[in-house]
Amino acid sequence: MTEIRVHKEEAVYVYEAPVRIWHWVQVFAIFALGVTGYLIGSPPPSLGGEASDWFLFGWIRYIHFVSAWIVIVGFVFRLYWAFVGNPHAREIFLPPVWRASFWGGVWHEILWYAMVAKEPRKYTGHNPLAVITMHVMYVWGIVFMIVTGLALYGEGTGMGSWQYEWFSSWVIPLFGQSQDVHTWHHLGMWVIVCFVIVHIYVAVREDIMSRQSIISSMISGWRLFKDDRPVDRD
Amino acid sequence: MAQRIETFYEVMRRQGITRRSFLKYCSLAAGALGLSPAFAPKIAEAMENKPRIPVLWLHGLECTCCSESFIRSAHPLAKDVILSMISLDFDNVIMASAGEQALAIIEETIEKYDGNFLLAVEGNAPLGEEGMYCISGGKPFVDELTRVSQHARAIISWGSCASWGCVQAARPNPTRATPTHKLPGIADKPIIKVPGCPPIAEVMTSVITYMVTFDRLPELDNQGRPKMFYSQRIHDKCYRRGHFDAGQFVESFDDEGARKGYCLYKVGCKGPTTYNACSTIKWNGGLSFPIEAGHPCIGCSEDGFWDKGGFYDRLTGIKGFGIDANADQIGATAAGIVAGAAAIHAGVSVVKRIASKGDDA
């Protein structure tokens, strides 16, 4: 067995309560959106009887819309928190892409995942590869889903509604026609699904193999370190 | 000098239509345009005093389904529109004269009413081989269309061909058929798109009625379609919408659901993505429309409706993956690859970890 070296358990408060609550609310809302969104594209088997007996598809769409509003309000709030929260709250919104050291960090993480680098670097916040992945796939992914989603929602609320005037009126011609917006929105869901798979996998892997806690940090807010050597970057 | 043109009212009276019938017609026109009854006298006043608008109706690459639809208008009757409201000076397919005699009318109209006539375009112009795929009067249609457009007051793009391109512009579009608003050299004039394959007869005649009555263009949406007919989807006013919300769908065309008139969503109905007035105005004098006849909407008034995969598929076909695939096939494949990669990566990580621990020991 590997000897467990004695070390100080230093802990840093990284994820403030609003960020944590936002994260877990997102988890449930996005899960609901994915399931109901898939069913909107591929409806469950037909029900029999009279139309007045059921409101199944209506409920599926209703859950989709309610969850979407939760994500939208949550995203706006999260954007606000990026300004007023601690520096870690800004990480995924503003990756320092102009800094060479950032890209050096990304490259080192790639080597770590390619199992070339023997040891990962130690980070208080997200590692650079995580930052860039969350920024591109999650932040822009969710912005894309919100914009196309509101454009499709505006089709239902109709001309004259703010959803239609602010979103549908320019998004639909931009993509060609309504059907194309549906298709891109649908593909966007699969991008989010791919992100979720990677996100969960690396969170578990990092929790086990990296030098700091990952999963429990998003629950308690505290980052714990497995060694007391200095951090490479906050 | 332009000769005085008869007003609508004069023409109607000359045809033996009584004033009472004329006023009834004005009320009907107001109703068809979604205006309050108070507008009927305004329509009557306009028709009594305004000269008829000359219209040139040109045909490019098309199938004449727009004209076929137009002459079947019941409210108002196409004959009323043609004979009383507008002065349809040129229309290849329904005019009596032919050849040079007919073509001379185009020149005459341009000369007499320069900047004051309406140009209606049915079909579109191909740009391939310098427009040689569509010859009209011995010359490429694209040249005739762009030339006449310079003298028109406004352009009406009849049908999906003129509005979006339709079947002749479908992939791979060998003749480079191009809708009116995208033609290089088309005059900078207002273009009113009246898409549909064909458009609904009453929509066509009502658009013209509106323009001659109020002497202005109907309000258009961002894509240039009259809001009064294209502001809602088929789905929004579909009489089968109740079955959609309930989750009752036709699964195949011979099942119980089809007999009971359930929603056609799962057999590819494009009603939810199609802006048109079929579910309210309907067809053939309000008799029926495709969904009422048990067939899904194919979305014929939408841009590029030929290139979105099968008419009977719910999900759009996406090109560029060798064979046609839909969003779910592409997405599930991508997610499968990502999940597989993650699993392999996890396996290798575990093996490396165990191996490295072995080294330590």
Side-chain angles (χ1 to χ4, degrees):
Chain A
M1 241 190 92
T2 319
E3 184 197 344
I4 299 170
R5 291 182 192 89
V6 178
H7 65 280
K8 275 191 295 181
E9 281 276 350
E10 286 223 33
V12 182
Y13 190 56
V14 179
Y15 304 121
E16 295 157 295
V19 173
R20 275 145 40 213
I21 293 167
W22 166 80
H23 176 270
W24 294 110
V25 167
Q26 291 281 293
V27 169
F28 292 107
I30 289 176
F31 178 75
L33 281 166
V35 172
T36 53
Y38 180 82
L39 289 174
I40 289 168
S42 306
S46 178
L47 297 169
E50 294 300 321
S52 54
D53 296 340
W54 311 100
F55 193 61
L56 178 65
F57 214 57
W59 278 113
I60 289 172
R61 294 174 71 243
Y62 181 76
I63 293 168
H64 194 80
F65 298 148
V66 169
S67 310
W69 278 116
I70 292 171
V71 166
I72 293 168
V73 172
F75 188 78
V76 172
F77 169 78
R78 184 64 182 79
L79 212 53
Y80 161 77
W81 198 258
F83 287 98
V84 301
N86 68 20
H88 293 294
R90 276 184 282 283
E91 275 184 346
I92 64 167
F93 290 96
L94 203 64
V97 289
W98 57 88
R99 238 180 258 151
S101 64
F102 174 77
W103 293 107
V106 170
W107 180 240
H108 186 270
E109 277 305 309
I110 291 169
L111 292 179
W112 160 241
Y113 279 106
M115 297 171 212
V116 174
K118 283 261 177 277
E119 192 182 57
R121 286 182 184 163
K122 192 172 172 181
Y123 293 98
T124 310
H126 295 299
N127 72 58
L129 185 63
V131 167
I132 203 74
T133 308
M134 287 186 203
H135 181 74
V136 174
M137 286 183 81
Y138 176 74
V139 174
W140 288 109
I142 223 71
V143 166
F144 179 83
M145 293 306 271
I146 289 173
V147 170
T148 52
L150 280 171
L152 296 173
Y153 189 68
E155 295 196 283
T157 54
M159 278 185 192
S161 67
W162 66 267
Q163 293 94 337
Y164 189 93
E165 302 305 327
W166 294 1
F167 294 95
S168 318
S169 64
W170 63 273
V171 173
I172 291 172
L174 184 71
F175 284 90
Q177 56 138 302
S178 170
Q179 214 184 326
D180 298 311
V181 185
H182 281 83
T183 304
W184 281 101
H185 192 68
H186 203 134
L187 287 170
M189 173 196 74
W190 285 108
V191 171
I192 303 279
V193 168
C194 290
F195 170 76
V196 168
I197 294 170
V198 172
H199 184 68
I200 294 171
Y201 169 63
V202 299
V204 171
R205 187 179 191 270
E206 288 290 285
D207 205 62
I208 299 168
M209 298 178 69
S210 80
R211 294 160 64 189
Q212 58 265 327
S213 68
I214 299 286
I215 297 171
S216 64
S217 307
M218 198 38 96
I219 297 169
S220 68
W222 289 86
R223 179 82 76 216
L224 302 169
F225 297 101
K226 299 174 194 169
D227 59 55
D228 48 13
R229 285 173 285 156
V231 294
D232 291 283
R233 188 170 287 282
D234 285 336
Chain B
M1 283 296 289
Q3 68 196 62
R4 185 177 167 277
I5 316 171
E6 285 181 293
T7 64
F8 319 109
Y9 182 60
E10 283 165 348
V11 174
M12 283 179 119
R13 288 308 296 266
R14 188 157 53 75
Q15 288 178 48
I17 292 166
T18 61
R19 179 158 180 83
R20 189 181 172 80
S21 300
F22 167 72
L23 291 174
K24 271 186 181 173
Y25 166 77
C26 293
S27 305
L28 188 77
L33 290 167
L35 303 169
S36 78
F39 276 90
K42 288 192 181 173
I43 292 175
E45 192 192 339
M47 294 192 138
E48 283 166 352
N49 299 305
K50 284 185 189 158
R52 297 187 299 159
I53 296 182
V55 176
L56 290 185
W57 188 315
L58 302 183
H59 297 253
L61 285 183
E62 49 96 335
C63 71
T64 319
C65 75
C66 299
S67 292
E68 289 286 347
S69 175
F70 184 75
I71 60 174
R72 279 161 182 73
S73 173
H75 308 287
L77 281 170
K79 84 172 173 54
D80 291 333
V81 176
I82 297 170
L83 298 175
S84 357
M85 303 174 67
I86 61 171
S87 163
L88 187 58
D89 292 351
F90 180 91
D91 185 338
N92 319 41
V93 299
I94 58 175
M95 69 198 302
S97 56
E100 286 177 9
Q101 193 190 10
L103 288 173
I105 297 171
I106 296 181
E107 305 311 319
E108 199 185 315
T109 305
I110 289 176
E111 202 175 299
K112 273 191 194 168
Y113 310 110
D114 197 351
N116 287 311
F117 65 90
L118 286 178
L119 170 60
V121 194
E122 184 174 345
N124 56 31
L127 297 177
E129 305 292 344
E130 295 177 357
M132 291 301 173
Y133 289 109
C134 184
I135 301 291
S136 175
K139 279 178 255 171
F141 176 66
V142 60
D143 296 346
E144 186 191 23
L145 179 59
T146 50
R147 185 177 66 87
V148 176
S149 73
Q150 306 298 332
H151 304 279
R153 184 168 140 203
I155 301 163
I156 303 176
S157 284
W158 281 147
S160 292
C161 297
S163 300
W164 311 123
C166 208
V167 66
Q168 62 273 43
R171 200 182 290 262
N173 192 2
T175 65
R176 285 181 61 211
T178 308
T180 316
H181 65 286
K182 286 186 181 166
L183 284 176
I186 197 79
D188 186 22
K189 301 282 166 72
I191 296 176
I192 301 141
K193 295 194 190 98
V194 187
C197 191
I200 302 168
E202 281 74 11
V203 168
M204 299 175 81
T205 49
S206 297
V207 166
I208 288 190
T209 306
Y210 186 92
M211 286 193 281
V212 297
T213 306
F214 297 105
D215 203 17
R216 62 163 183 257
L217 304 178
E219 201 185 334
L220 306 177
D221 71 358
N222 261 18
Q223 295 175 81
R225 301 171 294 192
K227 277 186 180 176
M228 60 183 81
F229 298 111
Y230 293 92
S231 61
Q232 281 189 314
R233 299 166 298 175
I234 307 291
H235 189 59
D236 296 318
K237 290 284 180 286
C238 182
Y239 79 106
R240 297 193 183 199
R241 178 63 190 258
H243 292 297
F244 171 84
D245 289 330
Q248 297 172 311
F249 303 104
V250 173
E251 305 274 358
S252 67
F253 286 106
D254 55 355
D255 69 1
E256 183 70 12
R259 280 190 286 277
K260 284 185 172 169
Y262 285 174
C263 174
L264 295 155
Y265 187 76
K266 281 178 99 168
V267 285
C269 183
K270 305 296 185 290
T273 55
T274 304
Y275 287 80
N276 208 335
C278 302
S279 49
T280 43
I281 295 177
K282 301 192 186 176
W283 286 81
N284 301 319
L287 181 71
S288 182
F289 73 111
I291 293 167
E292 195 167 336
H295 191 279
C297 166
I298 62 171
C300 76
S301 56
E302 288 294 323
D303 193 359
F305 78 100
W306 293 100
D307 289 322
K308 307 296 173 200
F311 289 154
Y312 304 101
D313 294 332
R314 174 75 256 141
L315 301 177
T316 307
I318 302 168
K319 305 273 178 189
F321 289 88
I323 48 162
D324 251 17
N326 65 36
D328 275 343
Q329 288 157 346
I330 294 166
T333 307
I337 291 168
V338 170
I344 292 166
H345 196 266
V348 176
S349 301
V350 170
V351 171
K352 287 276 278 188
R353 178 85 157 199
I354 292 167
S356 67
K357 275 183 184 168
D359 292 344
D360 287 349

